[in-house]
Amino acid sequence: MIRGDIKALSAYHVPDSSGMIKLDAMENPFSMADNLRKEWAKRLAEVNINRYPDAEMLNLRKKIAKHEGVEPEQVLLGNGSDEIIQMILIATVPGTCVVPGPTFVMYNLVSQWLKRPVATVPLAEDFTMNEEHFLQVCAREKAEVAFLACPNNPTGNLWRQERVEKIARGMSGMLVIDEAYGPFSERTHNYLIAPNVMVLKTFSKVGWAGLRMGYLLGDAEVIAQLNKVRMPYNINALTQASAEFLLDHFDVFEAQVAELRDERERMAEALAEFDGIQVFPSQANFLLVRVSDATRVFESLKKAGILIKNMHASDRLLVNCLRITIGSRDENSALLAALREIQL
Ligand SMILES: Cc1ncc(COP(=O)(O)O)c(C=O)c1O
């Protein structure tokens, strides 16, 4: 029957956000313009839904490859980048997986599902990472795989470039550089791709969270191996058609990303002006802040109709921390107004 360790887990919880200003999940706040939405619907209406989707997805992989400056053979597609994390952890030798802590929870969670050991390298109090220490843990644990989110979730910071490069050069196992928030940051790491270095990306944060489309860029030989544990037809026909359409209009989303980056800077400055709020540097589409009582501020904002993420109990380094997704200008201003009304 069901494994004891699975029984001991809790299901991934998504809080009810109906009717609220939703600043908890790093989504793009802008809905699609009417003209674009109509064109998209037209494209979807042409899909032959009675047939299985294109299994190789060559057209879409070609488009993504062009977008990223790599070859189509270097692209693996997943139903969200979460699914690709799972594929990587299924296909690599089941030795230790090394991650910094705190970081994105799915690396740990999927490792648990697959009974893979995880070694966490704690970050410093200011969330910086010591690459020598990271490499030492990788060597000591004979790590088969390591994940580095660049920028990191939930801290929002981007590791210094030379640190990422040192880890990429020094690792003997597989390094996965997760760029879920890459579009909001100052650089990409595609140039580091090698037989043991891959770059993971997603469309979720740039505007298409509902689509569930992620992709991995890597060495063609390694991608071909990982492709063997991909569920057949994992990207449905509507998603394939949508992703191709959206890539044809990527400029629209790039403009939105630029606007969100500006809003992030405005919000970082405005929040730092509050007595009792410490704002951490971010290169993502969210800000991590520390207050004196995160749970009280979280609950007060919820009462005011604003949902953010309380990180307080999730890690020793995140005591009294809140993660705030950058929304539209109006949503962000509503958050600032609500904060002025509550006791910090
Ligand atoms: C660092 C990081 N990687 C991957 C993901 C998963 O993204 P997707 O929606 O593509 O599954 C997230 C989502 O929050 C994330 O923070």
Side-chain angles (χ1 to χ4, degrees):
M1 294 288 285
I2 303 293
R3 270 166 37 191
D5 58 328
I6 299 290
K7 280 190 188 162
L9 292 174
S10 323
Y12 190 85
H13 173 66
V14 179
D16 181 21
S17 59
S18 28
M20 302 189 86
I21 294 182
K22 195 170 181 313
L23 301 177
D24 66 326
M26 286 82 85
E27 294 145 324
N28 171 328
F30 307 112
S31 51
M32 212 188 289
D34 276 351
N35 57 342
L36 208 57
R37 194 180 279 268
K38 276 193 191 129
E39 256 188 83
W40 172 45
K42 218 169 117 202
R43 191 83 79 89
L44 290 184
E46 288 161 8
V47 170
N48 289 323
I49 206 71
N50 54 316
R51 299 288 176 200
Y52 278 107
D54 174 1
E56 294 305 317
M57 303 175 274
L58 191 58
N59 283 345
L60 181 53
R61 286 195 294 124
K62 273 187 185 158
K63 241 179 205 161
I64 291 175
K66 192 162 166 228
H67 181 71
E68 294 286 351
V70 300
E71 297 301 320
E73 298 71 33
Q74 294 185 270
V75 180
L76 180 78
L77 304 183
N79 189 358
S81 46
D82 285 347
E83 192 191 38
I84 299 178
I85 294 168
Q86 188 175 32
M87 287 187 231
I88 293 168
L89 288 169
I90 288 173
T92 46
V93 176
T96 303
C97 168
V98 176
V99 294
T103 192
F104 181 46
V105 291
M106 290 309 284
Y107 314 137
N108 218 306
L109 202 54
V110 179
S111 297
Q112 281 184 48
W113 298 343
L114 297 171
K115 298 189 169 214
R116 290 189 67 136
V118 177
T120 301
V121 184
L123 299 176
E125 295 279 330
D126 63 356
F127 306 129
T128 52
M129 178 195 46
N130 178 330
E131 76 284 4
E132 299 296 345
H133 186 202
F134 195 87
L135 282 170
Q136 276 162 15
V137 174
C138 288
R140 188 189 70 212
E141 300 288 328
K142 298 189 178 50
E144 289 293 342
V145 59
F147 288 89
L148 271 189
C150 301
N152 191 38
N153 172 18
T155 55
N157 56 327
L158 179 65
W159 323 116
R160 289 222 317 264
Q161 188 161 7
E162 59 273 23
R163 296 194 162 181
V164 180
E165 288 176 356
K166 265 197 202 164
I167 293 173
R169 277 196 295 269
M171 277 255 342
S172 50
M174 182 78 77
L175 175 66
V176 182
I177 300 175
D178 182 346
E179 293 190 358
Y181 305 97
F184 302 92
S185 81
E186 66 193 21
R187 64 172 190 268
T188 173
H189 301 84
N190 286 6
Y191 72 99
L192 290 176
I193 290 171
N196 73 329
V197 181
M198 305 191 285
V199 179
L200 181 60
K201 309 216 182 190
T202 178
F203 288 150
S204 295
K205 317 297 170 184
V206 285
W208 318 331
L211 203 58
R212 305 303 295 129
M213 255 298 309
Y215 56 97
L216 182 71
L217 307 177
D219 176 84
E221 197 33 56
V222 180
I223 292 290
Q225 296 304 327
L226 290 172
N227 191 44
K228 295 178 187 171
V229 299
R230 183 175 59 78
M231 280 288 173
Y233 312 117
N234 65 329
I235 310 294
N236 72 66
L238 296 175
T239 299
Q240 290 187 35
S242 301
E244 285 189 42
F245 174 80
L246 294 162
L247 277 168
D248 289 341
H249 297 89
F250 205 73
D251 53 328
V252 173
F253 300 93
E254 268 172 345
Q256 293 176 353
V257 165
E259 191 174 334
L260 291 169
R261 286 169 61 144
D262 288 348
E263 274 297 288
R264 176 186 70 206
E265 297 315 305
R266 177 177 85 93
M267 287 300 285
E269 275 175 35
L271 289 167
E273 275 172 21
F274 281 83
D275 270 342
I277 300 187
Q278 181 188 6
V279 184
F280 295 98
S282 168
Q283 291 217 21
N285 63 341
F286 60 86
L287 290 167
L288 187 76
V289 301
R290 178 167 281 135
V291 292
S292 62
D293 185 343
T295 302
R296 195 187 56 212
V297 174
F298 172 80
E299 292 297 340
S300 305
L301 285 172
K302 206 164 146 191
K303 272 201 198 107
I306 301 173
L307 187 65
I308 59 169
K309 178 91 175 169
N310 185 0
M311 305 305 304
H312 176 65
S314 64
D315 192 284
R316 156 186 87 75
L317 289 176
L318 296 174
V319 169
N320 282 320
C321 284
L322 298 165
R323 192 187 62 196
I324 303 170
T325 301
I326 302 299
S328 66
R329 193 174 175 87
D330 285 353
E331 290 173 332
N332 299 333
S333 297
L335 175 87
L336 294 174
L339 283 171
R340 279 186 205 106
E341 297 300 315
I342 65 185
Q343 194 204 335
L344 287 172

